[in-house]
Amino acid sequence: MPDTPQHDLPKPVLLVCTTCRAGQPLAEGETPPGRHMLDALEHALAAHPAPPVELRPVTCLSVCRQGCAAAMTQPGKWSYLLGHLSPALAGDLLAYGETYAAHATGAVLPSRRPESLRGAVLGRLPSLAEPSKDNAA
Amino acid sequence: MPDTPQHDLPKPVLLVCTTCRAGQPLAEGETPPGRHMLDALEHALAAHPAPPVELRPVTCLSVCRQGCAAAMTQPGKWSYLLGHLSPALAGDLLAYGETYAAHATGAVLPSRRPESLRGAVLGRLPSLAEPSKDNAA
């Protein structure tokens, strides 16, 4: 992975499932689509003037039937699980990363995501860093 | 919500989407299926001899097309997003909670989940509490 600039403030982390076969059979020795997507993201990030996210490869996000898969997360924000992705969407994922990084809670409206990613959200998890106000319901 | 016993060690949290319509139309004033599922979980938990999880209602887990939805999470473990749920699965969700609570990483094999939940996992997120060993890939 190319070196990415280090910052004092943690960037959003884009977790990328590198073992994802995207529901397709994979010949022995063939590179999984998820790994191709990580490669595409690394290249896009290396060429980005202000890399908005940190990439982190993960072995299986359990989205096997709806992959390629990734997840956007940052402490204190909603985490988003994304499916139906492909290496061709690397640029759009970084554009989403910029919007997510700038959003106070991470709850970026579908209309603010690149069009290719409007149907990509499989689900989201709230930050559990602070006590939940919802807990007393 | 009925009082649940307090422990020094935090239990797994079962986040329950209370606004989920499970992909169905909802008449005005009708209680969403997600809220019914929370009610069923509260009753099952109140009757449980050793409540294995803490329930936490959430407004929208963005699993609208594959709900009812919930998520199991605990600091330091994988978090699991679950879909295709219903109030009838409350007991099975608590059984899964027991297995999850006892598992070191939370990565409970499908065969160790109640049969009704084997196809329920929509995805998972690693704990980001500690630096990831995967980060240097």
Side-chain angles (χ1 to χ4, degrees):
Chain A
M1 185 185 290
D3 286 339
T4 51
Q6 299 301 309
H7 298 277
D8 290 339
L9 289 176
K11 291 179 186 178
V13 172
L14 182 61
L15 298 151
V16 181
C17 181
T18 58
T19 49
C20 192
R21 304 174 182 192
Q24 302 298 313
L26 195 71
E28 198 174 323
E30 195 180 349
T31 301
R35 183 76 217 186
H36 284 305
M37 190 167 77
L38 179 69
D39 292 344
L41 282 161
E42 286 174 346
H43 281 97
L45 206 61
H48 198 288
V53 301
E54 175 199 334
L55 291 179
R56 195 171 300 179
V58 179
T59 301
C60 197
L61 288 172
S62 290
V63 184
C64 313
R65 287 173 295 183
Q66 299 187 91
C68 297
M72 190 76 77
T73 186
Q74 195 173 15
K77 295 188 183 181
W78 286 88
S79 298
Y80 280 80
L81 188 68
L82 308 167
H84 311 292
L85 303 176
S86 70
L89 298 181
D92 286 351
L93 281 164
L94 295 192
Y96 168 53
E98 287 183 70
T99 312
Y100 179 91
H103 196 287
T105 69
V108 176
L109 290 175
S111 60
R112 302 292 306 278
R113 294 197 292 266
E115 194 163 342
S116 66
L117 299 179
R118 290 191 189 161
V121 169
L122 301 178
R124 65 177 190 166
L125 291 178
S127 168
L128 298 179
E130 68 279 7
S132 171
K133 288 176 292 182
D134 293 329
N135 201 21
Chain B
M1 185 183 289
D3 285 339
T4 52
Q6 298 302 308
H7 297 278
D8 290 339
L9 289 176
K11 291 180 185 178
V13 172
L14 182 61
L15 299 151
V16 181
C17 181
T18 57
T19 49
C20 193
R21 304 175 181 191
Q24 302 299 313
L26 195 70
E28 198 175 322
E30 196 180 349
T31 302
R35 183 75 217 186
H36 284 304
M37 189 167 78
L38 179 69
D39 292 344
L41 282 161
E42 286 174 346
H43 281 97
L45 206 61
H48 199 288
V53 300
E54 174 199 334
L55 292 179
R56 196 171 300 181
V58 179
T59 302
C60 195
L61 288 172
S62 290
V63 184
C64 313
R65 286 172 297 183
Q66 298 186 91
C68 298
M72 191 76 78
T73 186
Q74 196 173 16
K77 294 188 183 182
W78 287 88
S79 297
Y80 280 80
L81 188 68
L82 308 166
H84 310 292
L85 303 176
S86 71
L89 298 180
D92 286 352
L93 281 165
L94 296 191
Y96 168 53
E98 286 184 70
T99 312
Y100 179 92
H103 195 287
T105 69
V108 177
L109 290 174
S111 61
R112 301 292 306 279
R113 293 197 292 266
E115 193 163 343
S116 65
L117 299 179
R118 290 193 187 158
V121 169
L122 300 179
R124 64 178 190 166
L125 291 179
S127 168
L128 298 180
E130 68 279 6
S132 171
K133 288 177 293 184
D134 293 330
N135 202 20

